[in-house]
Amino acid sequence: MLDESLLDAPEALAVADRRGLLRGAAEAGARVRTAVRHATEAGLTQLKPDGRPRAILIAGPGTAATCVADLLGTLAGAGCPVLRLAPTGVAPAAGALRWALPGWAGPLDLLLVATPDGTEPGLELLAEQAYRRGCTVVAVAPARTPLAEGVEGSHGLTVPMATSPYGEYEAPHDGERASESYEARRLDDEAAAAAPATLWALLVPLLVLLDRTGLITAPVETLEKIADRLDTLAERCGPVVPMHSNPAKTLAAELAEALPVIWTEDRLAGPVGRRFAATLAELAGHPAVAGELPEALPAHGALLAGHLAPGADGDDFFRDRVEEPQRLRARVVLLRDRPADAGGLSAAPAARELAHSHDVAISELEPEDGDDLETLAELIAVTDFAAVYLALAPRDGS
């Protein structure tokens, strides 16, 4: 069972947070502002493209780059195909990963590289290959990394990745403390691809770029509004806010002993649901499945009716359960990108009916009114905080 008392103990959460995940979630708004400034200084806001690209290719490692491609593809819609280039390799390490352009890529296409690392030789080779093919190349990567320098050398454009507003942590130089600091940094590096603020640091410059091409609408004024909303959500979901009024802590507690079955409705919620499942697994070690309504109903119907259903072990009500391990139960998480009273066709009533017919509990998350990017920001922020709380709060007996 989850030790819920820890969720309302800010000091204990701070001690448990060796990877700085809560700070990363809280500083998402600041990362957006820094990323906008970097994009402006790099000249993205002054670009005057000749037209839209034929296709957008996105490459980068890990959860953040995957989500960037998913979000940009959703926002671009039918305006332009967006294709993520998945890496290959013998290990998930910077030196082992390789990317390849599709055979048809050429001068009409745009390659976007997004990475929180910047030391991947495979991405450097990809940028060089794209340059030889005539593709336009834009990269978001940490400053002064081999990738950033390589893209600039291949006549591409690099935007420095927005780092923490609190600066890089410097390890102390005395024995044991230095060793502890090194371990904390190693854990932080491992979590970088899924850390909440990393997504915004990589995504925002690319939003500015695609706004200039006319593929999406993301002017600087809208991005500033996103930063403000992320700040507001950080206040609502922060560690000092008690569980009864904190949507992220409440969601984390509801999912602690459950298999989240994440159902999304409407186009903007889809990428958020997939990201939520990925961050639950990567940050919290918590399994989850995700699907879009209405197709998710037949796809997951047997799952709700099977041994994960609450009543699946009701064969002997009087048996001794004290020594039995806690069983994982399904719980539906319904994510929608518009309020329930917004009108329009909805599969949400059918989803609720299916869950209730199997006595499966439901957690629902809907954003307040806002444009597309504000809606995305709210859903991502709450689910990111929930994943972080699940990562930090230990289970009883662990």
Side-chain angles (χ1 to χ4, degrees):
M1 297 292 290
L2 178 75
D3 183 4
E4 294 187 6
S5 64
L6 180 63
L7 292 179
D8 280 338
E11 297 82 4
L13 286 171
V15 171
D17 192 10
R18 300 177 62 198
R19 294 175 288 179
L21 297 177
L22 276 173
R23 189 184 74 178
E27 69 186 24
R31 290 284 186 109
V32 170
R33 295 186 184 91
T34 303
V36 169
R37 187 178 75 250
H38 287 178
T40 301
E41 293 171 350
L44 290 185
T45 56
Q46 302 303 317
L47 287 180
K48 296 180 180 180
D50 294 332
R52 295 182 177 183
R54 176 182 60 179
I56 297 174
L57 309 172
I58 302 179
T63 303
T66 301
C67 188
V68 165
D70 201 0
L71 289 170
L72 293 181
T74 298
L75 291 169
C80 179
V82 177
L83 174 65
R84 177 180 179 255
L85 305 180
T88 58
V90 297
L97 297 176
R98 294 293 182 268
W99 288 260
L101 289 176
W104 48 261
L108 299 179
D109 305 311
L110 171 63
L111 172 65
L112 304 178
V113 179
T115 173
D117 189 323
T119 65
E120 303 92 344
L123 288 178
E124 294 181 64
L125 294 173
L126 179 70
E128 293 173 5
Q129 183 186 16
Y131 171 68
R132 291 194 299 270
R133 297 265 200 99
C135 300
T136 300
V137 180
V138 177
V140 182
R144 298 182 298 279
T145 56
L147 174 64
E149 296 171 357
V151 170
E152 292 287 352
S154 297
H155 305 282
L157 176 64
T158 300
V159 181
M161 175 183 163
T163 57
S164 170
Y166 300 102
E168 295 296 327
Y169 180 77
E170 293 294 335
H173 297 289
D174 52 55
E176 183 177 356
R177 289 181 59 207
S179 176
E180 292 175 353
S181 301
Y182 172 81
E183 177 67 11
R185 171 59 63 84
R186 184 185 67 80
L187 291 172
D188 187 55
D189 290 343
E190 290 176 353
T198 301
L199 170 66
W200 296 107
L202 297 177
L203 177 65
V204 169
L206 302 181
L207 291 175
V208 174
L209 172 64
L210 297 188
D211 175 74
R212 300 302 299 170
T213 67
L215 277 173
I216 64 175
T217 302
V220 170
E221 296 77 14
T222 296
L223 297 175
E224 293 292 345
K225 290 169 63 179
I226 291 174
D228 292 340
R229 179 166 288 202
L230 288 171
D231 287 345
T232 300
L233 289 163
E235 294 177 358
R236 288 176 52 199
C237 300
V240 299
V241 180
M243 186 185 304
H244 64 81
S245 56
N246 187 320
K249 287 183 180 180
T250 299
L251 183 58
E254 291 170 347
L255 299 182
E257 304 303 329
L259 172 71
V261 181
I262 303 168
W263 289 345
T264 63
E265 185 171 53
D266 306 315
R267 66 185 185 92
L268 298 178
V272 179
R274 290 186 284 274
R275 172 177 169 80
F276 189 27
T279 53
L280 282 173
E282 190 165 342
L283 295 184
H286 199 94
V289 295
E292 296 189 33
L293 297 177
E295 290 89 348
L297 300 183
H300 295 157
L303 188 153
L304 299 188
H307 69 278
L308 295 175
D313 61 350
D315 55 323
D316 183 4
F317 180 81
F318 295 102
R319 75 177 186 272
D320 185 4
R321 292 175 170 82
V322 174
E323 299 300 326
E324 291 185 5
Q326 183 74 17
R327 294 188 60 181
L328 200 64
R329 299 302 186 198
R331 185 183 184 100
V332 168
V333 180
L334 183 56
L335 300 180
R336 308 178 74 238
D337 66 17
R338 53 190 169 87
D341 58 0
L345 296 175
S346 173
R352 298 186 188 100
E353 182 179 354
L354 177 62
H356 292 156
S357 69
H358 296 294
D359 297 323
V360 174
I362 300 181
S363 301
E364 298 196 34
L365 185 60
E366 297 173 350
E368 298 178 357
D369 289 334
D371 61 24
D372 285 357
L373 290 175
E374 289 181 282
T375 294
L376 282 172
E378 179 164 342
L379 292 175
I380 290 172
V382 175
T383 53
D384 275 357
F385 265 105
V388 168
Y389 285 126
L390 275 176
L392 298 182
R395 276 60 171 172
D396 289 346
S398 62

